[in-house]
Amino acid sequence: MVIVSSVSRFASKYRPAPLARLPPQLDPNEYQWTPEKRRSEAERVALRSRIKREFFLRLNDPRRTELIEDPAVIRWDHARRQNVYPSYRFTPKSSLLSLLWGAGPFVFWWYVFKTNRAYKERLKSEGRYDEGFRTSC
């Protein structure tokens, strides 16, 4: 039994548009697969499908009591959470967002307190400020 990968199965059905060239991934002149390469691809697909079937059988077992860990999810979570800073680069957008979320709240509250104090001082100088009367903020 020979298992053909999904790439070669759909590549045979692909027809390019009249004015477009065939992409190099689908052009048979670009990738002449040898029988050995086809065999290794079929073995890889069969192994992957066996592993996937075994995982889903374990996952959907009604008598399962232990936690099943998916290695792909663990790798993804590690790359997303623990391995961020070694591969992080500052871009103009990330720099602006860091500045906005880091210094933005301090600037906002400084402005609020400054304008409130100036408002109170202006009311005192005009004689309309009552010590018992609270203004906003």
Side-chain angles (χ1 to χ4, degrees), residues 36-133:
E36 181 182 322
K37 170 79 172 165
R38 290 181 196 273
R39 195 176 314 110
S40 67
E41 174 73 11
E43 289 173 3
R44 186 189 67 78
V45 169
L47 177 65
R48 185 168 182 244
S49 65
R50 278 197 309 267
I51 291 171
K52 188 187 288 187
R53 182 177 188 279
E54 183 223 336
F55 173 75
F56 280 114
L57 282 175
R58 284 185 12 206
L59 182 68
N60 295 318
D61 183 14
R63 296 179 301 276
R64 174 173 55 96
T65 57
E66 74 278 355
L67 180 67
I68 296 176
E69 295 179 350
D70 185 3
V73 172
I74 293 171
R75 285 192 305 269
W76 174 80
D77 188 54
H78 175 73
R80 187 174 70 95
R81 291 178 189 236
Q82 282 94 16
N83 200 21
V84 174
Y85 296 111
S87 60
Y88 182 76
R89 287 183 301 194
F90 278 103
T91 62
K93 181 182 177 181
S94 64
S95 301
L96 182 64
L97 286 174
S98 299
L99 183 66
L100 180 70
W101 289 103
F106 294 111
V107 171
F108 171 77
W109 286 114
W110 170 78
Y111 178 76
V112 167
F113 292 141
K114 178 181 163 294
T115 54
N116 189 26
R117 182 179 295 167
Y119 177 72
K120 285 180 183 179
E121 289 177 2
R122 188 167 45 97
L123 287 180
K124 282 182 184 178
S125 68
E126 294 174 0
R128 298 187 311 160
Y129 182 74
D130 183 15
E131 292 295 328
F133 178 71

